[in-house]
Amino acid sequence: MTTAIAAPPKTKVQGVAGLPGRLRYRRRLPVVGILAWLAGLLFFFPVLWMFATGFKQEAQASTDPPTFLFAPTLDQYRAVLGRDFAPYFLNSLSASLISTVLAVALALPAAYALSLVRIPAWRDSLFFFISTKMLPPVAMILPLYVLATNLGVLDNVTMLAMVYTAMNLPIAVWMIRSFLMELPKEVLEAARLDGATRRTEMWRVIFPMIAPGLAATALICFIFAWNEFFFAVSLTATQAATVPVFLVGFITGEGLFWARLSAASTMAALPVILAGWAAQRWLVRGLSLGAVK
Amino acid sequence: MTAQSSKAPVRRPDAGALTRAQRWGRRAPLLPALLFVIALTQVPFLFTVYYSTQGRNLLRPDSGEFVGLANYAKVLAEPHFRNAVANTVVLTVSAVALSMLLGIALAVLLDQRFAGRAVVRTMLITPFLVMPAAAALLWKTSMYHPVFGLVNWALSPFGISADWVSQYPLLSIIAVLTWQWTPFMMLIVLAGLQSQSPEVLEAARVDGAGSWATFRRVTFPHLRRFIELGILLGTIYVVQTFDAIFMITQGGPGQASTNLPYFIYLQAFRAFDVGEAAAAGVIVVAATIAIAMFALRVISNLFEEES
């Protein structure tokens, strides 16, 4: 099950009759826990540091040796918010939300056609979707740029949302399909025996059962859209610039304002971090396109 | 593993019995998504192929003239392009290999029972969730800074100190990519470890296999497909790395850390040389197809289990 990662202590090792005591003991060596905690802290530390630095004064942000103890201040957050952070945030939010809704709305019928209905060349279609993920974004950016220029939608949130939708659709199709394939066959058969039309079957039977899967899919799409950088940098300038583009402003002009940069980075990263933490058990499934549970 | 439990699609009447209209009726739900993806990925790519045969510069909109394969010749002869290819290979291979090795190690640790396992797992997956652009800035400033950076501070007891970004640009990028992608690999390998059938493991123990023998003979073969999938998906994404290069090194110093996506970006949006940028893009796609053939075979294997 998808819950595998969050699974409580497994029973597989415990209480096996005849298991040598040595093995049972080794499973509980504290060294495993200590190592894991060290690794966890090591990997988490940069994020923690970014978070902490956002609450420092600039003078405390770049010191040698680093400042570990300080009186937290909200100055940097005020400064970032005062620097028109909001429009970037709103652009990111709308591009991500529009593309997420569109991707799921288009992917659901497609996944349905590719799983529960027999259509010709379903396998090829499925592979076609995933093969577009292997097409590097750089191979299509120029025409998209020219197209956007000609249509007058360069630097436009809707244009960006369309690109993100195309970027996420293959993932969404594969993921939703994997949820549909898992529906118990008996339930669908029973519904049809009871005379359910395809539409009722969809709304009354399938939809409620895969709702959590759809939520997980939406979350993955949102994460990818929110974090996307290449298209955002290439296709937006001022009006539709997203949060990652806002951060670009820090590489040159404000390179020395580390505390402010950290506050901005924290605000940029936090929505996805929180969403990812909340949806851990779905994460691996989505990231592997549903191939792994 | 793919474990989609209901094997056959539910509705499977005889395909031959379907009328033309019925077949289109069944296909209809698929079409919007299919057309959308084609319109925004395949069509632009065809235009890229077209541009690659044009001597075209965005600063002179009427500059397009057919130049045949001249752009390809120019790109292939360019040392900067070859350098970008080499950098891309080094970056991708090292980052994917390192993050997979670390990912396996961490997954094995997390598969054990210890206090606070959920917290450790949460901490470990966080780097993957951080917006890559933000992560890149964080590493460039707080971690790699030659004077105030934490990396030098942490390594100072060992007498190591460097201006990481300018002295070791590729290494700096690889470290950041590894930090970001290890959680991804860990999650996939962990899913593999936890999907092992307990009966098989018990059987191995009952047969007297030690932990190492069990791992090597039972666990590892089972994990292989998960590892392949992780490497495959990781490669697809890492090859396209752009954020970290743009933010941390700007491809430099010189061309030392310019990879293919960044090279094409520079050609197109700094030099506005559409023709050459497009030719480089097409070459990248051709190379990607070669890798993708292999990749699709891996996915295909996963997929076969289903039917």
Side-chain angles (χ1 to χ4, degrees):
Chain A
M1 256 319 288
T2 344
T3 46
I5 290 204
K10 276 169 299 170
T11 47
K12 70 182 182 197
V13 185
Q14 257 176 328
V16 178
L19 190 71
R22 184 179 59 89
L23 269 180
R24 227 178 302 163
Y25 172 68
R26 275 172 59 169
R27 285 273 157 171
R28 297 202 183 138
L29 270 185
V31 68
V32 167
I34 294 169
L35 268 179
W37 269 94
L38 280 179
L41 287 169
L42 190 71
F43 268 78
F44 187 63
F45 186 76
V47 185
L48 192 66
W49 191 254
M50 170 176 90
F51 185 71
T53 307
F55 292 99
K56 288 178 183 173
Q57 301 287 357
E58 283 302 344
Q60 299 162 329
S62 44
T63 57
D64 181 31
T67 309
F68 286 95
L69 293 172
F70 58 94
T73 167
L74 283 173
D75 287 359
Q76 311 309 334
Y77 282 88
R78 278 192 212 106
V80 173
L81 290 171
R83 267 205 59 210
D84 300 334
F85 181 72
Y88 294 92
F89 196 88
L90 288 177
N91 284 340
S92 269
L93 202 62
S94 28
S96 307
L97 283 181
I98 295 171
S99 68
T100 300
V101 171
L102 260 178
V104 173
L106 289 169
L108 179 60
Y112 176 76
L114 293 173
S115 56
L116 303 181
V117 183
R118 177 165 205 184
I119 62 161
W122 62 277
R123 203 175 279 242
D124 294 336
S125 309
L126 200 53
F127 278 120
F128 167 74
F129 278 114
I130 204 61
S131 69
T132 64
K133 287 306 295 171
M134 296 169 195
L135 190 67
V138 288
M140 37 202 195
I141 188 61
L142 285 167
L144 288 174
Y145 181 83
V146 173
L147 176 83
T149 313
N150 291 341
L151 292 177
V153 290
L154 195 65
D155 203 11
N156 177 304
V157 171
T158 314
M159 172 71 191
L160 201 58
M162 293 300 131
V163 174
Y164 288 172
T165 306
M167 172 180 94
N168 282 331
L169 249 176
I171 302 173
V173 169
W174 272 67
M175 220 178 139
I176 296 176
R177 180 178 177 275
S178 81
F179 289 111
L180 286 173
M181 294 298 284
E182 255 167 34
L183 291 178
K185 239 164 52 175
E186 304 75 35
V187 176
L188 298 180
E189 266 158 17
R192 253 177 308 124
L193 281 179
D194 289 347
T197 62
R198 199 170 280 176
R199 189 171 304 231
T200 9
E201 183 188 75
M202 189 73 199
W203 284 103
R204 294 284 190 67
V205 184
I206 299 180
F207 211 69
M209 287 173 85
I210 62 161
L214 288 182
T217 310
L219 183 98
I220 296 285
C221 291
F222 183 84
I223 290 181
F224 277 118
W226 182 270
N227 283 349
E228 205 285 329
F229 182 74
F230 180 70
F231 287 121
V233 159
S234 313
L235 296 176
T236 71
T238 50
Q239 295 303 307
T242 57
V243 170
V245 181
F246 173 82
L247 292 180
V248 173
F250 282 95
I251 37 181
T252 47
E254 301 198 42
L256 291 173
F257 294 97
W258 288 11
R260 191 174 303 172
L261 160 65
S262 302
S265 300
T266 304
M267 281 194 272
L270 211 55
V272 157
I273 294 182
L274 294 178
W277 283 354
Q280 285 189 38
R281 64 196 209 100
W282 299 107
L283 211 55
V284 63
R285 181 101 188 244
L287 295 173
S288 64
L289 310 162
V292 162
K293 291 192 298 167
Chain B
M1 146 165 218
T2 39
Q4 268 119 349
S5 46
S6 57
K7 295 282 190 265
V10 175
R11 281 203 193 84
R12 285 249 149 147
D14 206 48
L18 291 175
T19 67
R20 220 181 148 78
Q22 272 175 319
R23 254 179 292 166
W24 277 105
R26 301 208 154 168
R27 215 183 264 147
L30 173 67
L31 294 181
L34 205 58
L35 294 178
F36 195 98
V37 171
I38 290 174
L40 273 124
T41 64
Q42 309 303 294
V43 175
F45 175 63
L46 290 180
F47 270 98
T48 303
V49 175
Y50 166 73
Y51 289 160
S52 71
T53 64
Q54 304 284 309
R56 192 168 163 149
N57 195 304
L58 277 187
L59 296 178
R60 295 173 285 123
D62 52 342
S63 62
E65 77 266 11
F66 182 76
V67 295
L69 297 178
N71 286 324
Y72 289 90
K74 249 199 295 190
V75 167
L76 287 174
E78 214 166 315
H80 286 344
F81 177 78
R82 293 192 216 156
N83 168 60
V85 172
N87 284 343
T88 308
V89 172
V90 171
L91 276 178
T92 309
V93 172
S94 341
V96 170
L98 280 174
S99 52
M100 182 45 93
L101 288 175
L102 279 173
I104 294 174
L106 292 176
V108 169
L109 276 183
L110 275 192
D111 194 38
Q112 318 288 314
R113 289 187 297 139
F114 57 86
R117 190 167 70 160
V119 182
V120 171
R121 191 189 55 232
T122 304
M123 289 198 296
L124 278 172
I125 62 175
T126 308
F128 188 75
L129 299 168
V130 178
M131 174 183 287
L137 277 175
L138 163 76
W139 278 88
K140 180 193 166 105
T141 54
S142 301
M143 300 293 140
Y144 285 144
H145 194 278
V147 182
F148 308 119
L150 285 182
V151 173
N152 275 345
W153 175 77
L155 293 177
S156 57
F158 308 97
I160 302 171
S161 165
D163 183 351
W164 296 98
V165 173
S166 52
Q167 281 178 271
Y168 308 101
L170 273 185
L171 188 69
S172 302
I173 302 277
I174 290 169
V176 175
L177 290 178
T178 305
W179 176 72
Q180 283 211 290
W181 285 94
T182 298
F184 171 83
M185 303 298 189
M186 179 199 81
L187 283 177
I188 288 187
V189 176
L190 188 59
L193 283 173
Q194 302 196 327
S195 69
Q196 284 184 108
S197 119
E199 290 81 25
V200 174
L201 289 177
E202 273 167 31
R205 290 224 165 71
V206 171
D207 288 350
S211 315
W212 173 241
T214 312
F215 183 82
R216 209 166 60 88
R217 297 278 173 74
V218 182
T219 304
F220 192 73
H222 169 78
L223 278 189
R224 224 189 93 179
R225 330 197 91 204
F226 290 83
I227 293 174
E228 281 175 355
L229 183 75
I231 290 178
L232 161 70
L233 293 171
T235 307
I236 291 175
Y237 285 105
V238 174
V239 150
Q240 295 165 9
T241 298
F242 181 76
D243 328 33
I245 311 255
F246 186 102
M247 290 296 211
I248 298 179
T249 65
Q250 295 267 306
Q255 299 276 324
S257 61
T258 300
N259 70 347
L260 281 168
Y262 194 71
F263 174 84
I264 298 175
Y265 173 83
L266 288 183
Q267 289 290 321
F269 292 101
R270 299 283 164 87
F272 296 103
D273 194 332
V274 174
E276 266 190 60
V282 174
I283 295 171
V284 171
V285 172
T288 311
I289 288 173
I291 302 170
M293 299 284 262
F294 163 75
L296 280 176
R297 242 201 359 248
V298 174
I299 298 191
S300 200
N301 281 342
L302 291 169
F303 195 69
E304 283 307 322
E305 293 184 350
E306 197 180 284
S307 40

